[in-house]
Amino acid sequence: MIPYGRQEISEEDIEAVVAVLRSDFLTQGPMVPRFEQALASKVGASHAVAVNSATSALHIACLALELGQGDWLWTSPVTFVASANCALYCGAQVDFVDIDPRTYNLCPVALERKLVEAEQQGRLPKVVVAVHLCGQSCDMQAIGALAKRFGFAVIEDASHAIGGRYQGDYVGSGRFSDITIFSFHPVKIITTAEGGMAVTNNATLAARMALYRSHGITRDPAMMVGESDGPWYYQQIELGFNYRMTELQAALGVSQLARLDDFVARRHALARRYDQLLAALPVTCPWQHADSYSGLHLYPVRLQLEKITLSHREVFEQLRERGIGVNLHYIPVHTQPYYAAMGFSAEDFPQSMAYYREAISLPMYHTLSEAQQDEVVATLAEICHG
Ligand SMILES: *Cc1c(COP(=O)(O)O)cnc(C)c1O
Protein backbone atom coordinates (compact mmCIF):
# COMPACT_ATOMS: atom_id res chain seq x y z
CA MET A 1 0.00 0.00 0.00
CA ILE A 2 1.26 3.48 -0.87
CA PRO A 3 0.15 5.54 2.19
CA TYR A 4 -1.19 9.10 1.90
CA GLY A 5 1.56 10.37 4.18
CA ARG A 6 4.52 9.12 6.18
CA GLN A 7 7.54 10.37 8.11
CA GLU A 8 11.11 10.59 6.81
CA ILE A 9 13.68 9.55 9.45
CA SER A 10 17.42 9.90 8.79
CA GLU A 11 20.42 8.33 10.54
CA GLU A 12 21.09 11.78 12.07
CA ASP A 13 17.57 11.80 13.53
CA ILE A 14 18.15 8.38 15.10
CA GLU A 15 21.54 9.43 16.51
CA ALA A 16 20.03 12.61 17.97
CA VAL A 17 17.40 10.59 19.85
CA VAL A 18 19.90 7.97 21.01
CA ALA A 19 22.21 10.71 22.33
CA VAL A 20 19.37 11.94 24.55
CA LEU A 21 18.82 8.41 25.87
CA ARG A 22 22.48 8.36 26.93
CA SER A 23 22.26 11.84 28.52
CA ASP A 24 21.15 13.02 31.97
CA PHE A 25 17.71 14.30 30.97
CA LEU A 26 14.83 12.47 29.32
CA THR A 27 12.49 15.34 30.13
CA GLN A 28 12.87 18.97 31.32
CA GLY A 29 16.44 19.24 30.03
CA PRO A 30 18.17 21.43 27.44
CA MET A 31 16.65 20.03 24.21
CA VAL A 32 13.13 21.42 24.58
CA PRO A 33 14.33 25.05 24.90
CA ARG A 34 16.76 24.41 22.03
CA PHE A 35 13.91 23.19 19.81
CA GLU A 36 11.74 26.14 20.85
CA GLN A 37 14.47 28.65 20.03
CA ALA A 38 15.33 26.97 16.72
CA LEU A 39 11.72 26.91 15.55
CA ALA A 40 10.94 30.46 16.74
CA SER A 41 13.97 31.82 14.93
CA LYS A 42 13.16 29.76 11.80
CA VAL A 43 9.63 31.16 11.46
CA GLY A 44 10.44 34.64 12.81
CA ALA A 45 8.47 34.56 16.06
CA SER A 46 9.72 35.91 19.41
CA HIS A 47 8.49 33.11 21.70
CA ALA A 48 7.73 29.39 21.41
CA VAL A 49 6.16 26.89 23.82
CA ALA A 50 6.67 23.20 22.96
CA VAL A 51 3.98 20.73 24.03
CA ASN A 52 3.04 17.07 23.58
CA SER A 53 0.61 17.67 20.67
CA ALA A 54 -0.94 20.38 18.55
CA THR A 55 -4.21 19.63 20.34
CA SER A 56 -2.54 20.66 23.61
CA ALA A 57 -1.10 23.73 21.88
CA LEU A 58 -4.60 24.76 20.78
CA HIS A 59 -5.89 24.25 24.34
CA ILE A 60 -3.20 26.37 26.04
CA ALA A 61 -3.50 29.01 23.31
CA CYS A 62 -7.24 29.34 24.06
CA LEU A 63 -6.56 29.44 27.82
CA ALA A 64 -3.90 32.12 27.40
CA LEU A 65 -6.41 34.18 25.39
CA GLU A 66 -8.83 33.75 28.32
CA LEU A 67 -11.48 31.91 26.32
CA GLY A 68 -14.11 30.61 28.72
CA GLN A 69 -17.75 30.18 29.61
CA GLY A 70 -20.03 32.42 27.58
CA ASP A 71 -17.43 32.96 24.84
CA TRP A 72 -17.51 31.81 21.22
CA LEU A 73 -14.75 30.36 19.07
CA TRP A 74 -15.25 30.20 15.30
CA THR A 75 -13.37 28.02 12.85
CA SER A 76 -13.75 26.25 9.51
CA PRO A 77 -15.80 23.03 9.28
CA VAL A 78 -13.14 21.54 6.98
CA THR A 79 -10.52 20.73 9.58
CA PHE A 80 -9.53 18.11 12.11
CA VAL A 81 -11.85 18.11 15.15
CA ALA A 82 -9.08 19.47 17.41
CA SER A 83 -9.39 22.98 15.86
CA ALA A 84 -12.89 23.20 17.37
CA ASN A 85 -12.63 20.96 20.44
CA CYS A 86 -10.17 23.37 22.10
CA ALA A 87 -13.07 25.79 22.70
CA LEU A 88 -15.17 23.12 24.39
CA TYR A 89 -12.25 22.21 26.70
CA CYS A 90 -12.44 25.82 27.95
CA GLY A 91 -16.21 25.79 28.46
CA ALA A 92 -16.75 28.05 25.43
CA GLN A 93 -19.04 27.41 22.44
CA VAL A 94 -18.15 26.69 18.82
CA ASP A 95 -19.54 28.03 15.56
CA PHE A 96 -18.26 27.66 12.01
CA VAL A 97 -17.64 29.80 8.93
CA ASP A 98 -17.92 28.19 5.50
CA ILE A 99 -14.91 27.73 3.21
CA ASP A 100 -13.77 29.54 0.09
CA PRO A 101 -14.50 27.18 -2.84
CA ARG A 102 -11.06 27.73 -4.39
CA THR A 103 -8.66 27.53 -1.42
CA TYR A 104 -10.89 25.39 0.87
CA ASN A 105 -9.83 27.72 3.70
CA LEU A 106 -12.16 29.77 5.93
CA CYS A 107 -13.72 32.37 3.61
CA PRO A 108 -13.09 35.97 4.73
CA VAL A 109 -16.22 37.21 2.91
CA ALA A 110 -18.41 34.69 4.75
CA LEU A 111 -16.56 35.62 7.96
CA GLU A 112 -17.31 39.33 7.54
CA ARG A 113 -21.00 38.64 6.80
CA LYS A 114 -21.31 36.46 9.90
CA LEU A 115 -19.45 39.00 12.08
CA VAL A 116 -21.81 41.82 11.07
CA GLU A 117 -24.80 39.64 12.05
CA ALA A 118 -23.14 38.48 15.28
CA GLU A 119 -22.41 42.07 16.28
CA GLN A 120 -26.11 42.93 15.96
CA GLN A 121 -26.99 39.88 18.07
CA GLY A 122 -24.25 40.61 20.65
CA ARG A 123 -22.48 37.29 20.16
CA LEU A 124 -19.19 38.15 18.50
CA PRO A 125 -16.47 35.48 18.76
CA LYS A 126 -13.58 35.95 21.19
CA VAL A 127 -11.27 33.72 19.11
CA VAL A 128 -11.17 32.70 15.44
CA VAL A 129 -9.03 29.67 14.53
CA ALA A 130 -7.75 30.09 10.97
CA VAL A 131 -6.78 26.65 9.67
CA HIS A 132 -4.23 26.63 6.85
CA LEU A 133 -5.74 23.63 5.07
CA CYS A 134 -3.27 21.41 3.22
CA GLY A 135 -0.53 23.94 4.06
CA GLN A 136 -1.85 26.94 2.15
CA SER A 137 -2.19 30.01 4.38
CA CYS A 138 -5.61 31.54 4.91
CA ASP A 139 -6.12 35.12 3.70
CA MET A 140 -4.49 36.41 6.88
CA GLN A 141 -4.44 40.05 5.80
CA ALA A 142 -8.25 40.07 5.49
CA ILE A 143 -8.75 38.02 8.68
CA GLY A 144 -6.31 40.26 10.59
CA ALA A 145 -8.21 43.39 9.44
CA LEU A 146 -11.51 41.87 10.61
CA ALA A 147 -9.90 40.94 13.95
CA LYS A 148 -9.00 44.61 14.51
CA ARG A 149 -12.43 45.85 13.42
CA PHE A 150 -14.47 43.38 15.50
CA GLY A 151 -12.02 42.84 18.38
CA PHE A 152 -11.37 39.10 18.33
CA ALA A 153 -8.11 37.16 18.72
CA VAL A 154 -6.71 34.95 15.95
CA ILE A 155 -5.05 31.56 16.36
CA GLU A 156 -3.47 30.15 13.20
CA ASP A 157 -3.82 26.36 13.14
CA ALA A 158 -0.70 25.72 11.04
CA SER A 159 -0.64 21.96 11.66
CA HIS A 160 -0.33 21.55 7.86
CA ALA A 161 1.72 24.61 7.10
CA ILE A 162 5.13 24.59 8.80
CA GLY A 163 7.73 25.71 6.27
CA GLY A 164 5.07 27.44 4.19
CA ARG A 165 5.00 31.19 3.63
CA TYR A 166 2.44 33.96 3.39
CA GLN A 167 3.31 37.22 1.60
CA GLY A 168 6.96 36.17 1.82
CA ASP A 169 7.08 35.51 5.59
CA TYR A 170 7.15 32.05 7.12
CA VAL A 171 3.83 30.92 8.56
CA GLY A 172 4.26 31.57 12.30
CA SER A 173 5.75 35.06 11.94
CA GLY A 174 2.45 36.25 13.43
CA ARG A 175 2.02 39.44 11.43
CA PHE A 176 -1.77 39.04 11.39
CA SER A 177 -2.46 36.79 14.38
CA ASP A 178 -1.88 36.35 18.12
CA ILE A 179 -0.68 32.74 18.28
CA THR A 180 0.27 30.12 15.69
CA ILE A 181 0.28 26.41 16.48
CA PHE A 182 2.11 23.54 14.72
CA SER A 183 1.75 19.73 14.83
CA PHE A 184 4.57 17.19 14.67
CA HIS A 185 2.45 14.06 14.24
CA PRO A 186 4.24 11.63 11.86
CA VAL A 187 1.96 12.37 8.90
CA LYS A 188 2.74 16.12 9.13
CA ILE A 189 5.70 17.87 7.50
CA ILE A 190 8.23 17.38 10.32
CA THR A 191 7.70 14.98 13.20
CA THR A 192 8.53 14.40 16.87
CA ALA A 193 6.29 11.25 16.93
CA GLU A 194 3.69 13.18 18.92
CA GLY A 195 4.25 16.86 19.57
CA GLY A 196 3.22 20.42 18.97
CA MET A 197 4.34 24.02 19.42
CA ALA A 198 2.68 27.38 19.98
CA VAL A 199 4.53 30.50 18.82
CA THR A 200 3.72 34.15 19.50
CA ASN A 201 5.27 37.61 19.54
CA ASN A 202 3.47 38.45 22.80
CA ALA A 203 5.58 37.78 25.94
CA THR A 204 2.52 37.70 28.22
CA LEU A 205 0.73 35.09 26.10
CA ALA A 206 3.94 33.02 25.96
CA ALA A 207 4.33 33.11 29.76
CA ARG A 208 0.70 32.12 30.25
CA MET A 209 1.00 29.21 27.80
CA ALA A 210 4.17 28.00 29.56
CA LEU A 211 2.26 28.07 32.86
CA TYR A 212 -0.69 26.05 31.50
CA ARG A 213 1.71 23.51 29.94
CA SER A 214 2.98 22.48 33.37
CA HIS A 215 0.25 22.40 36.05
CA GLY A 216 -0.06 26.18 36.33
CA ILE A 217 3.13 26.08 38.41
CA THR A 218 5.76 28.82 38.40
CA ARG A 219 9.24 29.04 39.93
CA ASP A 220 9.55 32.69 38.92
CA PRO A 221 9.36 34.91 42.08
CA ALA A 222 8.06 37.78 39.90
CA MET A 223 4.91 35.73 39.10
CA MET A 224 4.31 34.58 42.70
CA VAL A 225 1.71 35.75 45.17
CA GLY A 226 3.75 36.95 48.18
CA GLU A 227 7.26 35.92 49.12
CA SER A 228 9.09 32.70 48.20
CA ASP A 229 9.59 30.29 51.14
CA GLY A 230 13.07 29.32 49.90
CA PRO A 231 15.05 27.74 47.05
CA TRP A 232 12.74 24.67 46.89
CA TYR A 233 9.65 26.79 46.48
CA TYR A 234 7.18 26.87 43.62
CA GLN A 235 3.62 28.10 43.40
CA GLN A 236 0.58 26.90 41.56
CA ILE A 237 -1.20 30.05 40.40
CA GLU A 238 -3.53 28.61 37.70
CA LEU A 239 -5.10 25.21 36.99
CA GLY A 240 -2.74 23.80 34.34
CA PHE A 241 -1.96 20.43 32.78
CA ASN A 242 0.98 18.17 32.06
CA TYR A 243 1.38 18.90 28.35
CA ARG A 244 5.20 18.81 28.33
CA MET A 245 7.25 17.55 25.39
CA THR A 246 10.04 15.06 26.19
CA GLU A 247 13.75 15.58 25.45
CA LEU A 248 13.64 12.64 23.01
CA GLN A 249 10.91 14.35 21.01
CA ALA A 250 12.65 17.73 21.06
CA ALA A 251 15.93 16.20 19.85
CA LEU A 252 14.08 14.61 16.95
CA GLY A 253 12.41 17.95 16.28
CA VAL A 254 15.69 19.88 16.17
CA SER A 255 17.13 17.31 13.79
CA GLN A 256 14.04 17.30 11.53
CA LEU A 257 13.78 21.09 11.52
CA ALA A 258 17.18 21.32 9.84
CA ARG A 259 15.64 19.62 6.77
CA LEU A 260 12.34 21.56 6.76
CA ASP A 261 13.00 23.61 3.62
CA ASP A 262 14.08 20.46 1.74
CA PHE A 263 10.94 18.67 2.86
CA VAL A 264 8.70 21.46 1.60
CA ALA A 265 10.65 21.85 -1.67
CA ARG A 266 10.24 18.10 -2.34
CA ARG A 267 6.50 18.39 -1.74
CA HIS A 268 6.35 21.25 -4.24
CA ALA A 269 8.19 19.15 -6.85
CA LEU A 270 5.69 16.33 -6.29
CA ALA A 271 2.73 18.75 -6.48
CA ARG A 272 3.97 20.23 -9.78
CA ARG A 273 4.26 16.70 -11.16
CA TYR A 274 0.76 15.80 -9.98
CA ASP A 275 -0.58 19.03 -11.56
CA GLN A 276 0.87 17.99 -14.93
CA LEU A 277 0.05 14.28 -14.76
CA LEU A 278 -3.54 14.91 -13.66
CA ALA A 279 -4.28 17.68 -16.18
CA ALA A 280 -6.22 15.41 -18.55
CA LEU A 281 -8.18 13.62 -15.81
CA PRO A 282 -11.69 14.58 -14.62
CA VAL A 283 -10.36 16.01 -11.34
CA THR A 284 -9.74 19.53 -9.98
CA CYS A 285 -6.22 19.99 -8.60
CA PRO A 286 -5.49 22.27 -5.61
CA TRP A 287 -5.51 25.97 -6.52
CA GLN A 288 -2.75 28.15 -5.06
CA HIS A 289 -3.15 31.84 -4.21
CA ALA A 290 -0.26 34.07 -5.32
CA ASP A 291 0.27 35.27 -1.70
CA SER A 292 0.95 31.74 -0.53
CA TYR A 293 3.82 29.30 -0.72
CA SER A 294 2.10 26.23 0.71
CA GLY A 295 3.63 23.78 3.17
CA LEU A 296 1.78 21.18 1.03
CA HIS A 297 0.98 18.76 3.80
CA LEU A 298 -1.83 17.39 1.63
CA TYR A 299 -2.69 17.16 -2.05
CA PRO A 300 -6.49 16.73 -2.35
CA VAL A 301 -8.18 16.44 -5.73
CA ARG A 302 -11.91 17.04 -6.27
CA LEU A 303 -13.62 14.55 -8.55
CA GLN A 304 -15.61 16.08 -11.42
CA LEU A 305 -18.40 13.62 -10.77
CA GLU A 306 -20.50 14.64 -13.77
CA LYS A 307 -17.68 13.25 -15.96
CA ILE A 308 -17.21 10.01 -14.02
CA THR A 309 -19.62 7.04 -14.04
CA LEU A 310 -18.59 5.88 -10.55
CA SER A 311 -19.53 7.60 -7.30
CA HIS A 312 -17.06 9.41 -5.04
CA ARG A 313 -17.18 6.50 -2.64
CA GLU A 314 -16.61 3.93 -5.41
CA VAL A 315 -13.55 5.78 -6.72
CA PHE A 316 -12.19 6.01 -3.16
CA GLU A 317 -12.83 2.31 -2.45
CA GLN A 318 -11.28 1.16 -5.73
CA LEU A 319 -8.14 3.24 -5.09
CA ARG A 320 -7.79 1.62 -1.65
CA GLU A 321 -8.46 -1.86 -3.11
CA ARG A 322 -5.69 -1.28 -5.64
CA GLY A 323 -3.11 -0.31 -3.03
CA ILE A 324 -3.36 3.48 -3.15
CA GLY A 325 -3.75 4.63 0.46
CA VAL A 326 -5.93 7.64 -0.20
CA ASN A 327 -7.71 9.49 2.57
CA LEU A 328 -10.32 12.23 2.99
CA HIS A 329 -9.49 15.47 4.78
CA TYR A 330 -11.89 16.16 6.35
CA ILE A 331 -15.36 15.04 7.35
CA PRO A 332 -16.85 18.50 8.10
CA VAL A 333 -16.68 18.88 11.89
CA HIS A 334 -20.25 20.20 12.22
CA THR A 335 -21.57 16.86 10.86
CA GLN A 336 -19.83 14.80 13.57
CA PRO A 337 -22.51 13.40 15.91
CA TYR A 338 -21.00 15.28 18.86
CA TYR A 339 -21.43 18.61 17.01
CA ALA A 340 -24.68 17.74 15.21
CA ALA A 341 -26.17 17.25 18.70
CA MET A 342 -25.51 20.98 19.31
CA GLY A 343 -27.96 21.80 16.54
CA PHE A 344 -25.81 22.05 13.40
CA SER A 345 -27.17 20.57 10.21
CA ALA A 346 -25.06 19.51 7.26
CA GLU A 347 -26.27 22.16 4.81
CA ASP A 348 -25.48 25.05 7.19
CA PHE A 349 -22.11 25.15 5.36
CA PRO A 350 -22.79 24.21 1.72
CA GLN A 351 -19.28 24.84 0.33
CA SER A 352 -17.78 22.57 2.99
CA MET A 353 -20.30 19.83 2.12
CA ALA A 354 -19.66 20.22 -1.64
CA TYR A 355 -15.93 19.78 -0.98
CA TYR A 356 -16.54 16.75 1.25
CA ARG A 357 -18.61 15.04 -1.48
CA GLU A 358 -15.77 15.28 -4.03
CA ALA A 359 -12.41 15.37 -2.24
CA ILE A 360 -9.78 12.63 -2.12
CA SER A 361 -6.28 13.22 -0.68
CA LEU A 362 -3.65 11.57 -2.88
CA PRO A 363 -0.35 10.28 -1.42
CA MET A 364 2.00 13.20 -0.64
CA TYR A 365 5.18 12.72 1.40
CA HIS A 366 8.91 13.22 1.15
CA THR A 367 9.91 9.69 0.12
CA LEU A 368 7.09 9.17 -2.41
CA SER A 369 8.97 8.19 -5.59
CA GLU A 370 8.12 9.36 -9.09
CA ALA A 371 7.37 5.73 -10.03
CA GLN A 372 4.91 5.48 -7.14
CA GLN A 373 3.38 8.79 -8.14
CA ASP A 374 2.97 7.50 -11.72
CA GLU A 375 1.24 4.42 -10.31
CA VAL A 376 -1.16 6.62 -8.29
CA VAL A 377 -2.09 8.63 -11.38
CA ALA A 378 -2.37 5.60 -13.69
CA THR A 379 -4.63 3.83 -11.19
CA LEU A 380 -6.83 6.90 -10.77
CA ALA A 381 -7.02 7.32 -14.58
CA GLU A 382 -8.13 3.69 -15.07
CA ILE A 383 -10.77 3.99 -12.36
CA CYS A 384 -12.13 7.32 -13.66
CA HIS A 385 -12.26 6.16 -17.26
CA GLY A 386 -13.51 2.72 -16.07
C1 LIG B 1 -3.12 17.10 13.02
C2 LIG B 1 -3.95 18.28 13.28
C3 LIG B 1 -4.23 18.74 14.56
C4 LIG B 1 -3.85 17.99 15.81
O1 LIG B 1 -2.52 17.66 15.85
P1 LIG B 1 -1.97 16.68 16.99
O2 LIG B 1 -0.51 17.03 17.06
O3 LIG B 1 -2.21 15.29 16.47
O4 LIG B 1 -2.70 16.95 18.24
C5 LIG B 1 -4.94 19.92 14.71
N1 LIG B 1 -5.37 20.60 13.64
C6 LIG B 1 -5.15 20.17 12.38
C7 LIG B 1 -5.64 20.99 11.24
C8 LIG B 1 -4.45 18.99 12.17
O5 LIG B 1 -4.25 18.54 10.92
Side-chain angles (χ1 to χ4, degrees), residues 104-177:
Y104 318 143
N105 280 329
L106 186 145
C107 172
V109 177
L111 176 61
E112 180 172 8
R113 211 180 301 128
K114 195 172 174 109
L115 285 164
V116 169
E117 270 175 35
E119 189 171 44
Q120 286 160 1
Q121 298 161 355
R123 41 162 245 141
L124 282 170
K126 186 162 192 172
V127 173
V128 170
V129 176
V131 182
H132 302 323
L133 195 75
C134 308
Q136 169 159 235
S137 175
C138 291
D139 183 348
M140 290 309 300
Q141 192 172 337
I143 293 170
L146 292 169
K148 281 216 177 84
R149 181 170 145 206
F150 291 94
F152 57 85
V154 180
I155 299 173
E156 295 180 64
D157 182 343
S159 295
H160 300 180
I162 195 165
R165 295 169 189 249
Y166 176 69
Q167 295 184 349
D169 297 324
Y170 276 107
V171 170
S173 74
R175 249 178 85 199
F176 301 103
S177 69

Side-chain angles (χ1 to χ4, degrees), residues 52-58 78-84 129 131-134 157-160 181-188 193-197 297-298 329-330:
N52 57 3
S53 71
T55 303
S56 303
L58 284 161
V78 181
T79 186
F80 185 56
V81 291
S83 312
V129 176
V131 182
H132 302 323
L133 195 75
C134 308
D157 182 343
S159 295
H160 300 180
I181 68 96
F182 298 108
S183 172
F184 311 123
H185 184 279
V187 297
K188 309 289 165 76
E194 296 279 1
M197 188 99 72
H297 166 49
L298 297 172
H329 302 92
Y330 290 92

Side-chain angles (χ1 to χ4, degrees), residues 20-289:
V20 170
L21 282 170
R22 297 187 200 285
S23 79
D24 292 335
F25 296 100
L26 301 186
T27 186
Q28 295 176 288
M31 288 312 297
V32 166
R34 194 177 303 170
F35 185 33
E36 289 171 337
Q37 280 153 24
L39 194 139
S41 91
K42 176 76 187 174
V43 304
S46 320
H47 309 278
V49 180
V51 283
N52 57 3
S53 71
T55 303
S56 303
L58 284 161
H59 187 189
I60 61 170
C62 288
L63 289 170
L65 292 165
E66 297 178 76
L67 187 75
Q69 205 118 46
D71 294 328
W72 288 89
L73 176 146
W74 291 4
T75 190
S76 162
V78 181
T79 186
F80 185 56
V81 291
S83 312
N85 287 345
C86 54
L88 306 181
Y89 297 159
C90 300
Q93 284 174 276
V94 175
D95 203 351
F96 299 95
V97 179
D98 210 358
I99 60 169
D100 175 307
R102 283 189 307 180
T103 62
Y104 318 143
N105 280 329
L106 186 145
C107 172
V109 177
L111 176 61
E112 180 172 8
R113 211 180 301 128
K114 195 172 174 109
L115 285 164
V116 169
E117 270 175 35
E119 189 171 44
Q120 286 160 1
Q121 298 161 355
R123 41 162 245 141
L124 282 170
K126 186 162 192 172
V127 173
V128 170
V129 176
V131 182
H132 302 323
L133 195 75
C134 308
Q136 169 159 235
S137 175
C138 291
D139 183 348
M140 290 309 300
Q141 192 172 337
I143 293 170
L146 292 169
K148 281 216 177 84
R149 181 170 145 206
F150 291 94
F152 57 85
V154 180
I155 299 173
E156 295 180 64
D157 182 343
S159 295
H160 300 180
I162 195 165
R165 295 169 189 249
Y166 176 69
Q167 295 184 349
D169 297 324
Y170 276 107
V171 170
S173 74
R175 249 178 85 199
F176 301 103
S177 69
D178 297 278
I179 296 169
T180 301
I181 68 96
F182 298 108
S183 172
F184 311 123
H185 184 279
V187 297
K188 309 289 165 76
I189 295 168
I190 63 170
T191 189
T192 61
E194 296 279 1
M197 188 99 72
V199 300
T200 179
N201 297 318
N202 180 317
T204 307
L205 291 177
R208 289 175 58 81
M209 290 194 288
L211 205 58
Y212 285 116
R213 164 178 63 183
S214 199
H215 308 283
I217 283 173
T218 183
R219 291 175 185 278
D220 176 3
M223 292 178 82
M224 289 181 186
V225 180
E227 289 295 297
S228 164
D229 289 354
W232 65 86
Y233 195 58
Y234 59 80
Q235 273 186 354
Q236 184 191 338
I237 57 172
E238 294 285 357
L239 182 61
F241 302 86
N242 180 353
Y243 283 167
R244 292 187 304 264
M245 176 180 274
T246 69
E247 291 286 287
L248 302 163
Q249 292 169 305
L252 183 53
V254 169
S255 185
Q256 289 256 309
L257 186 62
R259 305 204 296 292
L260 174 61
D261 290 337
D262 290 343
F263 287 166
V264 174
R266 172 69 185 151
R267 287 170 180 272
H268 274 262
L270 289 167
R272 274 197 303 274
R273 243 182 133 253
Y274 266 140
D275 290 345
Q276 287 163 9
L277 294 169
L278 295 167
L281 267 61
V283 299
T284 304
C285 294
W287 180 84
Q288 302 293 326
H289 193 284

